[in-house]
Amino acid sequence: MATYFSDASFKFLRGIARHNDRTWFQAHKGDYDAHIREPFQRLLLDLQPVLAGVSLHYRAEPKTVGGSLFRIQRDTRFANDKTPYKTWQGARLFHERGRQVEAPSFYVQIQPGNCFIGAGLWHPEPDTLRRVRHFILDNPGSWKAAAHEAKFRRRFDLDDSEMLTRMPRGFPEDFEFAGDLKRKNFVAYRMIEDSTMTGPRLLKTLETDLQGLARFTDYLCAALDLEF
């Protein structure tokens, strides 16, 4: 089975974390291309048939510009942190309508000690949040199956990093999934060992994870009237 990333991939990311400046990056851009960007593009290409087996409406696009791969350059215009580069590399497997409307996506990240796969809505717009919350309120049984089924929760965690302190206005306090209605993000994720990222079973692992995240993502698509 193919491997994609290597110890050299993590060496580059540890380096950019220590020397986060343009001079260092330009001197090591060849390492970035060889050990991060190009392996990720090969992985995205190999994920295309895997993703098609999960949903025909999602895309893994290996293009250098305008594809699934996020830029390693940070947008520092409105940030207090002015370091120019991310210390990780991520890729979004996006919905075919994701450029027209807000849609859930799958996400894969490589970073030393912080590799993971996730799916869902990260920092959605207020109207998107409202629609998802109302859909959960109206369809609690299928939400339980999508987000709280025992097998699913043994493999995946729900992101609890940003939560409202109070119930959103207009929603009942005694609702079975009141805690979920307080979420600012609807994201499920699973951490991946660094050794898995550099090993021969990465593609198979991601295939299993994408299949496992399908029902959760399907539910969010249904909440937003999107095909899955």
Side-chain angles (χ1 to χ4, degrees):
M1 290 180 281
T3 59
Y4 302 91
F5 305 107
S6 66
D7 291 341
S9 306
F10 289 115
K11 181 180 179 181
F12 171 84
L13 292 170
R14 285 191 293 267
I16 198 69
R18 289 193 302 269
H19 310 283
N20 202 321
D21 61 70
R22 291 177 177 83
T23 300
W24 189 92
F25 180 79
Q26 289 303 318
H28 295 83
K29 189 176 183 301
D31 294 329
Y32 169 71
D33 291 338
H35 303 303
I36 300 291
R37 182 179 59 81
E38 292 170 6
F40 223 139
Q41 289 175 308
R42 287 191 288 107
L43 176 61
L44 288 167
L45 186 64
D46 289 347
L47 279 172
Q48 288 178 343
V50 171
L51 192 58
V54 174
S55 169
L56 294 176
H57 300 283
Y58 275 83
R59 304 288 180 261
E61 177 52 69
K63 290 191 302 184
T64 301
V65 178
S68 291
L69 208 63
F70 282 92
R71 288 164 50 90
I72 196 168
Q73 291 83 3
R74 296 180 63 250
D75 184 349
T76 62
R77 289 173 297 172
F78 307 106
N80 292 326
D81 180 2
K82 298 300 182 181
T83 52
Y85 300 103
K86 300 167 187 170
T87 57
W88 64 90
Q89 181 70 73
R92 179 180 60 244
L93 313 183
F94 55 88
H95 194 279
E96 63 186 358
R97 293 179 58 196
R99 285 174 168 75
Q100 290 80 45
V101 297
E102 193 164 26
S105 60
F106 299 98
Y107 178 79
V108 180
Q109 175 171 299
I110 179 172
Q111 183 182 25
N114 192 36
C115 303
F116 67 91
I117 181 171
L121 293 159
W122 176 254
H123 291 173
E125 294 295 326
D127 182 63
T128 301
L129 266 179
R130 179 189 58 79
R131 292 175 67 184
V132 172
R133 287 168 177 159
H134 276 290
F135 196 78
I136 293 172
L137 186 64
D138 294 339
N139 302 274
S142 50
W143 173 248
K144 183 176 182 178
H148 293 283
E149 188 265 336
K151 182 179 179 181
F152 178 80
R153 293 306 301 272
R154 283 195 297 270
R155 189 169 182 89
F156 301 102
D157 293 307
L158 296 180
D159 175 67
D160 296 327
S161 62
E162 297 177 88
M163 304 283 287
L164 297 174
T165 56
R166 298 180 180 180
M167 183 64 67
R169 183 177 299 178
F171 291 89
E173 294 278 355
D174 61 350
F175 179 58
E176 180 181 3
F177 300 108
D180 290 324
L181 298 183
K182 296 179 182 179
R183 297 184 182 280
K184 294 184 180 181
N185 303 302
F186 287 91
V187 171
Y189 69 95
R190 190 181 74 83
M191 305 305 297
I192 299 175
E193 294 286 342
D194 290 1
S195 58
T196 301
M197 292 297 290
T198 59
R201 293 193 58 79
L202 176 60
L203 185 63
K204 184 62 179 178
T205 298
L206 295 179
E207 179 178 10
T208 300
D209 287 332
L210 289 169
Q211 292 169 346
L213 289 163
R215 181 186 287 185
F216 178 80
T217 310
D218 187 5
Y219 186 94
L220 295 176
C221 284
L224 302 174
D225 294 321
L226 292 166
E227 307 85 353
F228 185 79

